[in-house]
Amino acid sequence: MKVIAQQQCGTAQWDCNNGQCISANARCDGMTDCQDGSDETAENCIQGYATCHAFGFKCAYGACVADGYRCNGRKDCADNSDELVCDDKKLDKLQGNCSSGTDFECSQSNECISKGNMCNGIKDCADGSDETLQLCVGFDCPDGAFHCGYGACISGTAKCNGVRDCADGSDEAWELCGYPRPVNKATSSLSDTRDENKCQLPENYPHLVARLHPQNETIPLGAWVGNYEIVHLECSNGYRIMTDDSLNCQNGKWTAEFPTCAEYCDGLSLLGLSTFYVCINNFMAARQCTRVQPNTEVIVGCNVGYEGFGNTSPLIRCTSDGKFTAKRPTCNVECGVLRQSTPLTKEGFQLQRNEVPWQVAIYRKPDKTNYKFVCGGSIISPSVIVTAAHCFWDVAVQEKMNADVFQVAAGKYYRDYDTAKDPTAQISDIAEIAISPSFQYGKDKILEDIAVVKLKTPFVFNENISAVCLRFDARANSYVPNDWAGTIVGYGDTDTEYKRIQRVPMKSLSFHSCQLRQQANLADDKFCLQNEDSATVCRGDSGGGFVIQNAVTKRHELLGVISYTRFSNAECVREGILTATNVNYMSDEVVKKMEQFKQEDKALF
């Protein structure tokens, strides 16, 4: 019988469809904790699909698990969708005996249907094999579409329209659409009439679940069981039993005291950009444990690209009430440090990806299919980039372009957008572009040519992606003299087969020396750079940073942003002068935005 769900459990709990109470945090976490499995179904979880954490993995039915669990050979989503997405060539195997390359053979009925009809919510195969989790999981739905609980894609406007457009009906799930929740009303066939030869289960033991032996039938707390019956006990999700897990009723009395449930600590609360953690229980270590048992010790360490703990890693412990003895500590960005990594080899040249781990490539995507490389930039925080303002300036209308036509890639070794060449690259859309209101764009003079960009998704630091230090001294009093040695980054000639990243050695020319050298009227926030050898700088390399190594700290510091050069009619310059914007002349408005963006990043550390 279907009825409207009545709240029977506590405020921090969730009612399973069968009436069992589990921790509210246990719902839709990838692990089945309700005996009827209702805490891990699309009916009760699909609304969470769009709100998983930035570094979480979305199970097909809506649950959220840690991103590191994807394709680890273990079932971490209740529907195993974290492992089913790993076969990226499954669609190549679907033609079967169908003559047309655009057709798909149904697995049992052997019909041929168009591949365009796969995973669209409608069962076109008589056996329904075109709308299954195994086939549809991992489908990349277009913007605005709705993901069904098994991975299929339907129109976003079809969601919650009163019609089941997904084959599993997940587009009409109760919480997703704001409907009353339908559940199966839990009933007990056990008598609650007192009898001297029966034993009563206690009512005031939160999180305890009892099952009658040997039927394995769940018994509600407060119910009576017959003499000499055995009851198996366990705890609901988020908790663990600390003593006896079975009791026997003898002559109307239980053979022992009922155990209490100790609460697990939530390992997901230890996730952050800047840290990792290791759980140690009974001298056994586990990396990134989701449910942390009471009395487990947790060692917290800094991820690659972060620092702050020194030689001593903080130690916290999970207590029996499900809380850690201390708040998870965080680390700070470790800027300007190069790390050793395995070199790559191509065309006989040894390539090192991590020589400039802070360098990013900025692409413009006018039609979402043709990504054009437009500028470089430098990472100063996981989602904060410093680059040139003119990279985002529409000269024709003299205004800033929309952020949504750009993407930023880190760990890009090749200039072309093609990620197949750079499988470890990370790509993010831009959320906001901060440019000084005093920015001016002229043919030979660009004022305030510096921008700070906030990304929608932060980069995950590793040995090939990390931040550069920002040499932010006394602001406008920081004068760049002649002959400071440093490097910029270029991607090579436009007509070469492999437009690969390369470090170009440069030396600084002071504002006055450059003005005399070029016989031009430079903006006050500029200094210049001159090639140290025959290395090439080309169009699109602007926005990248001029980086020097601090003689004392040995860390690499961003001193300036490439603004422009006189290319004449050539795409690249081999002997010439580059103009750079001094980062210490960043306007107050841009500095304020930069600090805001960095603080927003720290909230994720």
Side-chain angles (χ1 to χ4, degrees):
M1 178 176 69
K2 291 286 186 177
V3 298
I4 302 303
Q6 302 294 322
Q7 182 68 34
Q8 300 293 332
C9 301
T11 55
Q13 295 179 308
W14 188 74
D15 302 65
C16 302
N17 285 5
N18 64 358
Q20 178 189 349
C21 298
I22 65 171
S23 168
N25 293 331
R27 177 189 175 196
C28 306
D29 66 347
M31 304 181 68
T32 302
D33 296 281
C34 296
Q35 279 85 8
D36 61 3
S38 58
D39 59 316
E40 301 294 327
T41 63
E43 175 190 33
N44 293 322
C45 298
I46 195 66
Q47 74 286 341
Y49 187 91
T51 58
C52 285
H53 196 282
F55 37 87
F57 173 77
K58 302 173 183 179
C59 303
Y61 65 92
C64 306
V65 299
D67 189 47
Y69 293 167
R70 181 181 185 272
C71 302
N72 62 357
R74 186 182 66 225
K75 176 182 175 181
D76 293 291
C77 292
D79 63 354
N80 201 36
S81 55
D82 57 310
E83 299 303 312
L84 294 176
V85 298
C86 306
D87 185 3
D88 56 2
K89 296 184 179 180
K90 63 181 179 181
L91 297 181
D92 299 335
K93 312 169 187 175
L94 297 176
Q95 185 177 353
N97 295 318
C98 298
S99 58
S100 173
T102 61
D103 284 349
F104 155 72
E105 183 179 16
C106 303
S107 61
Q108 295 180 21
S109 60
N110 301 122
E111 305 161 81
C112 292
I113 68 168
S114 170
K115 288 183 179 179
N117 290 332
M118 295 186 332
C119 303
N120 64 355
I122 302 171
K123 292 182 179 180
D124 294 285
C125 289
D127 59 11
S129 58
D130 59 315
E131 300 293 326
T132 63
L133 174 69
Q134 290 74 15
L135 176 66
C136 302
V137 66
F139 253 52
D140 187 13
C141 293
D143 292 343
F146 175 77
H147 279 267
C148 300
Y150 59 96
C153 309
I154 64 171
S155 170
T157 59
K159 178 183 68 176
C160 302
N161 64 354
V163 178
R164 290 166 59 102
D165 294 284
C166 291
D168 63 351
S170 55
D171 57 312
E172 300 296 320
W174 65 275
E175 190 168 358
L176 175 74
C177 302
Y179 302 150
R181 178 186 170 195
V183 299
N184 294 316
K185 186 174 181 180
T187 60
S188 173
S189 61
L190 299 174
S191 170
D192 59 359
T193 303
R194 182 172 179 82
D195 189 303
E196 291 184 358
N197 291 323
K198 292 183 178 181
C199 296
Q200 186 181 26
L201 294 169
E203 296 180 335
N204 58 345
Y205 277 70
H207 318 300
L208 192 65
V209 178
R211 293 180 178 176
L212 191 63
H213 179 83
Q215 299 94 325
N216 205 33
E217 173 189 354
T218 301
I219 313 169
L221 296 182
W224 294 82
V225 299
N227 210 20
Y228 305 114
E229 295 277 13
I230 297 175
V231 174
H232 298 301
L233 304 171
E234 59 188 51
C235 296
S236 58
N237 184 38
Y239 299 83
R240 67 185 296 264
I241 204 162
M242 300 297 288
T243 54
D244 295 335
D245 59 1
S246 294
L247 293 180
N248 181 249
C249 176
Q250 293 186 7
N251 301 319
K253 294 183 179 180
W254 294 107
T255 54
E257 294 291 327
F258 271 79
T260 56
C261 291
E263 189 171 4
Y264 283 94
C265 293
D266 183 12
L268 294 178
S269 67
L270 299 176
L271 291 176
L273 280 178
S274 68
T275 60
F276 69 90
Y277 63 94
V278 177
C279 300
I280 302 177
N281 193 8
N282 294 327
F283 304 101
M284 298 290 291
R287 183 77 181 260
Q288 307 292 72
C289 43
T290 304
R291 296 183 183 183
V292 184
Q293 296 184 12
N295 299 320
T296 297
E297 291 184 334
V298 178
I299 298 175
V300 181
C302 291
N303 276 327
V304 174
Y306 298 88
E307 61 185 352
F309 295 159
N311 296 324
T312 304
S313 296
L315 184 69
I316 59 180
R317 186 173 57 84
C318 175
T319 62
S320 60
D321 61 355
K323 297 180 180 178
F324 290 108
T325 53
K327 184 179 179 181
R328 176 184 67 90
T330 59
C331 304
N332 301 314
V333 171
E334 182 184 40
C335 66
V337 176
L338 296 180
R339 293 171 180 81
Q340 295 296 321
S341 68
T342 304
L344 308 172
T345 301
K346 187 169 182 70
E347 300 295 315
F349 296 96
Q350 199 172 58
L351 314 177
Q352 198 77 26
R353 289 187 185 272
N354 68 342
E355 290 184 357
V356 280
W358 43 80
Q359 178 73 14
V360 299
I362 301 173
Y363 298 88
R364 188 167 66 244
K365 44 174 185 172
D367 56 7
K368 294 190 176 181
T369 57
N370 182 24
Y371 293 83
K372 179 182 179 182
F373 173 72
V374 292
C375 276
S378 303
I379 302 171
I380 61 169
S381 188
S383 66
V384 186
I385 309 298
V386 174
T387 182
H390 76 264
C391 300
F392 312 102
W393 193 253
D394 190 328
V395 179
V397 296
Q398 288 294 301
E399 63 180 30
K400 183 173 65 176
M401 288 183 272
N402 291 329
D404 58 8
V405 301
F406 295 95
Q407 280 192 335
V408 179
K412 279 287 291 170
Y413 190 73
Y414 295 96
R415 187 181 69 180
D416 292 343
Y417 182 82
D418 182 10
T419 55
K421 292 183 178 180
D422 291 301
T424 61
Q426 299 177 34
I427 296 178
S428 176
D429 290 325
I430 293 180
E432 187 174 348
I433 303 167
I435 294 176
S436 170
S438 301
F439 171 73
Q440 295 179 12
Y441 185 92
K443 182 178 180 181
D444 292 320
K445 183 177 181 180
I446 307 179
L447 180 64
E448 299 277 6
D449 190 19
I450 194 165
V452 175
V453 170
K454 175 67 185 297
L455 304 178
K456 287 186 177 180
T457 305
F459 290 134
V460 178
F461 288 170
N462 53 43
E463 61 185 12
N464 298 317
I465 301 174
S466 59
V468 68
C469 301
L470 186 63
R471 189 183 177 95
F472 216 52
D473 295 329
R475 303 285 302 282
N477 293 323
S478 180
Y479 185 78
V480 178
N482 290 326
D483 297 328
W484 274 7
T487 57
I488 63 171
V489 173
Y491 277 97
D493 292 330
T494 58
D495 57 353
T496 57
E497 180 183 0
Y498 299 106
K499 295 170 273 267
R500 296 176 290 220
I501 199 169
Q502 57 179 306
R503 299 176 70 186
V504 182
M506 290 277 180
K507 277 193 175 181
S508 64
L509 287 174
S510 70
F511 169 82
H512 294 96
S513 297
C514 184
Q515 194 165 14
L516 291 172
R517 180 76 172 269
Q518 294 196 106
Q519 295 183 347
N521 184 20
L522 288 180
D524 294 340
D525 59 354
K526 299 293 185 290
F527 66 96
C528 290
L529 303 169
Q530 189 167 22
N531 296 47
E532 279 286 86
D533 53 24
S534 60
T536 304
V537 178
C538 302
R539 291 189 189 277
D541 291 333
S542 57
F546 175 61
V547 176
I548 64 173
Q549 187 173 27
N550 188 298
V552 177
T553 66
K554 304 302 180 183
R555 298 200 177 203
H556 294 79
E557 299 173 339
L558 178 66
L559 184 61
V561 173
I562 301 172
S563 182
Y564 67 93
T565 187
R566 289 180 173 82
F567 285 101
S568 299
N569 295 322
E571 283 291 327
C572 300
V573 56
R574 298 184 183 278
E575 294 181 6
I577 295 177
L578 301 177
T579 304
T581 303
N582 190 332
V583 295
N584 288 283
Y585 282 72
M586 198 182 299
S587 70
D588 291 339
E589 294 86 353
V590 176
V591 171
K592 184 178 179 179
K593 274 293 185 181
M594 178 178 67
E595 293 304 320
Q596 173 193 326
F597 296 159
K598 290 169 66 177
Q599 286 301 315
E600 291 170 353
D601 269 5
K602 284 188 175 181
L604 301 176
F605 286 2

